[in-house]
Amino acid sequence: MHTQRMAVSVSVLALLTLAACGTESGSGSGDGSDTAQSDVPVTGVAWSVDSLTVSGKKTEAPAGSRLEIDPKGRAKAGFGCNHISADARVEGDRITFGKPVSTQMACDETTEKAEKAALAAMDGEVTAKLSGEKLTLTTEGGDTIALSEEKPADLVGTRWAVNTLLSGETATSVPAGLPKERVPHLTFGEDGTVHGNSGCNSFHGKAAVKGSTIDFGPPAGTRKMCPEAEMEVERAVLAALDGPATYTIKGSTLTVTSKDGKGIGATATPAKSEGTQEHG
C-alpha cells in the first residue's frame, strides 16, 4: 500500500510539473516575477526608431532611423549617417546587447545626438515591451528606445535612395557630402526595367524580377565624368546591378546583393523630386 501511495504521489507531481511548464510557455500574462515568458517577437523585424530617451532627455530620431535584430543575434541601427552594430541575445522579454561599435563618419548635430543616445542605450541588458506595432526597449537605468514596426515597401514603383555600399561582410555608407543630385537612386518599373542615377550618370536597363531574385541586364546611360568620390560610388552601385542578384525588403529598406557579394542598401523615399535627381 505504501508503494502505491508513493507511485500516485509521483504521478501527481509529474502532472503538476507538466502543467507548470505549459503555463510558462504561454504569453506570460501572469504577474509572478519568476514566470517564464515566451520570446518577444523582435528579431527579423524592421523597426523604425521614433525616439530615444537617455538620462531623462528625449531625442527625436531623424526620419528614416532604423534598428533591426537579425535571427543570428546581430543588432544593426542607422540614423542616416553611421552604422551601429552589436551582438544581441534575446531571452524572454530581455535583450542583452554586447558592446556596440560604430563607423566614424562626421554627421550633422541632430544625427550625432541620436547616434550617441543609441550607443548608450544599446549597451547591456534591456527589457522589451511590445504593444501592437510599437516596441519599447528599456535599460536597467531607465533609458528607452521607442520603435514602430515598418511595413515592407513595394519593390516596383518605389524610389530607392542608395545609402549603403556592400562588399561581402563589409558595409560602407555612401558619403554624406555628395551633392544632392548625385545621391544614387533607382526605381523599378512594372515593365521589368530599372532606371535612376548611379552617383554620377543616369542609367536605365532591364531588371527581371522573379521571387527573391532580380536579373539585371547591362545598363545604358550617360557617360559624364565626375569627381573621384562620385565615380567610386558609381562603380560600386553598378557592380551590384550587374547580372543575377538577390533582394530583400524589410520595412522601407531594400538590400540587393549580387553573386560575388557586391551589393547596395537603399531606403524608400518620396518620388516627387526624381526628375531633377536623374538629370542633375
Side-chain angles (χ1 to χ4, degrees), residues 20 27 90 148-149 152 185 210 254 274:
S27 62
V90 181
S148 301
E149 182 179 353
H185 62 88
K210 184 177 181 181
L254 167 70
E274 185 172 345

Side-chain angles (χ1 to χ4, degrees), residues 154-231:
D154 293 326
L155 175 68
V156 175
T158 299
R159 182 182 185 280
W160 298 101
V162 179
N163 51 26
T164 306
L165 305 175
L166 307 173
S167 181
E169 296 295 319
T170 303
T172 306
S173 297
V174 171
L178 283 183
K180 185 177 180 181
E181 68 274 10
R182 302 299 185 203
V183 175
H185 62 88
L186 59 155
T187 301
F188 294 90
E190 300 243 359
D191 56 353
T193 61
V194 62
H195 67 273
N197 188 293
S198 49
C200 174
N201 290 283
S202 59
F203 74 92
H204 62 274
K206 297 291 185 180
V209 180
K210 184 177 181 181
S212 61
T213 65
I214 306 173
D215 192 3
F216 292 98
T222 57
R223 296 182 177 275
K224 294 180 292 186
M225 294 299 294
C226 297
E228 180 55 27
E230 297 166 29
M231 297 302 295

Side-chain angles (χ1 to χ4, degrees), residues 19-40 91-94 127:
C21 290
T23 301
E24 289 177 356
S25 63
S27 62
S29 57
D31 55 8
S33 59
D34 58 349
T35 301
Q37 296 184 359
S38 59
D39 286 355
V40 175
E91 296 177 309
D93 64 345
R94 299 298 178 94
T127 301

